[in-house]
Structure formats: structure tokens, C-alpha cells
Amino acid sequence: EGRLEESGGGSVQPGGSLRLSCTASGATINDVDKGWYRQAPGKECELVSSISSNGRTWSADFVRGRFTISQDNAGNAVNLQMNDLKPEDTAVYHCAAAKHLYGGGSCLFAQQFGLWGQGMQVTVSS
């Protein structure tokens, strides 16, 4: 069974940048939507950004203009460039791949019907 392998998390000061990457292993995901989710302590899991199989992108209001989602030409990897990071961006970030995820698939939907990465900690603190 395929899985998603994530990299790029870590700690950064406010205003800094990080780039998250996610690659499929043992599965092909170029024909499904991809997304990045996050969950902060005590808060619900939320969709941050998503990209459809044909390249349309969507981002939540709270990251629009700061985060950019992209995928490689083959569609088997998805990245999240995060700029101007804020302390409220601190969370565990997960990548996901599933049909019908673009624009609003919930965390539970992605976990149940697609591939779900194990998650990476992103900490924004001075």
C-alpha cells in the first residue's frame, strides 16, 4: 500500500520561511487532488491549501498570500512554501492525497478515503 513521505518541518522565527515537501511512495497520486492540513494543540484539524489533479490551487483565508502549494510535473509530489510565518501557524502539518479533496475535503475525509502523511511539526517562535 502506498504512503506519503513528508520533509521540511522545523522551527523558525516569526517572519521566516519553510518549505514542506511530500512524496508518494508505492503509489501514484498524479490523478488525485493533494492537500496540506494542520492541527494545533487543542484545535481542530484544518485544510490549509489544496491542489487539484489538473493544477488548480486553493488556500484558506488565514494563509492566502503567504503560503503557496505546488506539485511536481509528474504530479507525484506536493510542496508547500510557507512565507511570513506567524506563531499561530505552529502546528503539526500533514500532507494528503485523495479524490475530491480539492477546496474543502475534511481531515477525516482525507484520512478515510486517501493517503495521509504521518505529520511534521512546524514551530514558529521567537
Side-chain angles (χ1 to χ4, degrees):
E1 183 173 322
R3 64 177 191 171
L4 299 176
E5 299 177 347
E6 301 151 327
S7 62
S11 297
V12 65
Q13 293 186 341
S17 298
L18 285 173
R19 182 177 176 87
L20 307 184
S21 295
C22 174
T23 303
S25 175
T28 299
I29 60 171
N30 59 359
D31 59 344
V32 299
D33 302 337
K34 277 79 75 176
W36 286 96
Y37 293 79
R38 71 185 187 187
Q39 186 162 22
K43 296 187 177 181
E44 292 189 357
C45 182
E46 57 189 356
L47 179 61
V48 176
S49 292
S50 59
I51 186 166
S52 69
S53 57
N54 62 5
R56 290 178 299 160
T57 61
W58 174 91
S59 290
D61 287 344
F62 52 80
V63 301
R64 199 164 294 155
R66 300 188 298 122
F67 292 10
T68 303
I69 191 170
S70 63
Q71 61 186 353
D72 69 347
N73 289 336
N76 274 332
V78 59
N79 305 302
L80 186 68
Q81 178 66 43
M82 305 188 295
N83 298 328
D84 189 22
L85 282 159
K86 306 177 185 298
E88 52 263 41
D89 295 319
T90 295
V92 175
Y93 284 71
H94 300 265
C95 68
K99 290 184 178 180
H100 311 305
L101 179 158
Y102 174 76
S106 70
C107 297
L108 185 59
F109 173 88
Q111 291 169 15
Q112 287 188 331
F113 298 109
L115 295 179
W116 181 260
Q118 65 180 14
M120 298 181 291
Q121 179 67 46
V122 171
T123 301
V124 185
S125 174
S126 57

